[in-house]
Amino acid sequence: MKIICIGRNYVDHIKELNNERPTDPVLFIKPDSAVLPKEQDFYIPEFSNDIHYEVEVLVKIKKVGKHIDAQFSHTYYDEIGLGIDFTARDLQSRLKEKGLPWEKAKGFDGSAVIGKWLPKSSLGDVNHLKFQLKKNNEVVQEGDTSLMLWKIDEIISYVSSFFTLKKGDIIFTGTPAGVGRISANDYLSGTLENEQMFSLNIK
């Protein structure tokens, strides 16, 4: 499986990082080794002093597809989840300044938290899903998929024009405003439509 991530998909997050608003979705990929094993704590890596959380709605692809028309994208997934794209912000900033790829800052071991999955049919309109992240029981990020620049079905169509999507692939659909630094002994938990999807300790 591969993890395809969408960057800069919420206007408020674009503004908080002083990034330019893209004309097309920003894509990057995390390797499967980035997935944090279930029930495992997240250990801050030695190569960064500024790891940020980024909570995101996830989509799990259920069948092979290439050049998918957006009107048929909904037939390619049945499950929606929530996760975290951990980012080494200091390392990313240095790489961006040099015009280099972000993989070291985005794809390191444990950088992809994948919570439980919910049936799409149980959630209603996927373009109006509310989600949030709490750090030490205080809300630090709140989002709604209605605020995405590119909606889920548009993302699937766009991604499939570059990469063949396969069963089990996961798409991280972008993070809203409120990203921030984690520290040892923090506790993170995420909810989607008021249902807890994951929790983890930071070491």
Side-chain angles (χ1 to χ4, degrees):
M1 56 88 84
K2 56 185 174 290
I3 301 168
I4 301 167
C5 305
I6 309 301
R8 305 179 190 176
N9 202 22
Y10 289 83
V11 172
D12 287 349
H13 175 59
I14 294 171
K15 291 178 179 177
E16 74 177 346
L17 294 186
N18 295 313
N19 284 325
E20 181 179 339
R21 180 168 174 163
T23 55
D24 295 302
V26 175
L27 305 182
F28 61 93
I29 291 180
K30 290 176 181 274
D32 57 6
S33 55
V35 177
L36 184 71
K38 298 288 186 186
E39 310 302 326
Q40 182 171 306
D41 298 331
F42 176 81
Y43 286 81
I44 296 174
E46 294 181 356
F47 56 77
S48 176
N49 295 312
D50 195 22
I51 299 291
H52 282 207
Y53 53 76
E54 297 187 5
V55 70
E56 310 197 13
V57 171
L58 314 182
V59 178
K60 184 190 291 184
I61 300 299
K62 71 172 186 176
K63 61 182 180 180
V64 174
K66 176 72 173 173
H67 295 299
I68 301 165
D69 191 298
Q71 66 178 320
F72 301 118
S73 292
H74 69 278
T75 68
Y76 285 81
Y77 64 103
D78 286 333
E79 295 177 282
I80 301 287
L82 196 71
I84 296 176
D85 165 20
F86 278 124
T87 303
R89 191 72 70 203
D90 47 356
L91 180 55
Q92 184 190 35
S93 295
R94 293 197 298 270
L95 293 167
K96 286 169 67 176
E97 286 173 3
K98 297 177 181 178
L100 297 173
W102 303 348
E103 273 77 4
K104 289 189 290 186
K106 287 281 195 177
F108 58 88
D109 290 356
S111 62
V113 175
I114 297 173
K116 69 180 183 181
W117 296 96
L118 298 177
K120 179 175 64 174
S121 58
S122 71
L123 292 170
D125 186 356
V126 298
N127 293 322
H128 288 86
L129 299 177
K130 296 183 184 300
F131 59 101
Q132 67 176 208
L133 178 72
K134 291 182 179 180
K135 183 174 78 167
N136 304 325
N137 296 315
E138 292 187 9
V139 176
V140 288
Q141 280 190 281
E142 287 187 286
D144 190 310
T145 55
S146 65
L147 300 176
M148 287 179 172
L149 293 177
W150 290 278
K151 303 299 190 285
I152 290 173
D153 288 355
E154 295 173 307
I155 290 170
I156 290 173
S157 176
Y158 183 79
V159 168
S160 74
S161 68
F162 295 92
F163 309 114
T164 296
L165 292 173
K166 296 184 176 182
K167 183 177 180 180
D169 286 351
I170 295 172
I171 299 177
F172 277 59
T173 61
T175 193
V179 301
R181 184 177 181 177
I182 57 170
S183 301
N185 300 315
D186 281 343
Y187 173 75
L188 302 179
S189 60
T191 59
L192 177 66
E193 290 293 304
N194 296 314
E195 181 159 352
Q196 182 157 311
M197 303 295 283
F198 63 79
S199 63
L200 72 155
N201 295 299
I202 308 300
K203 299 293 187 179

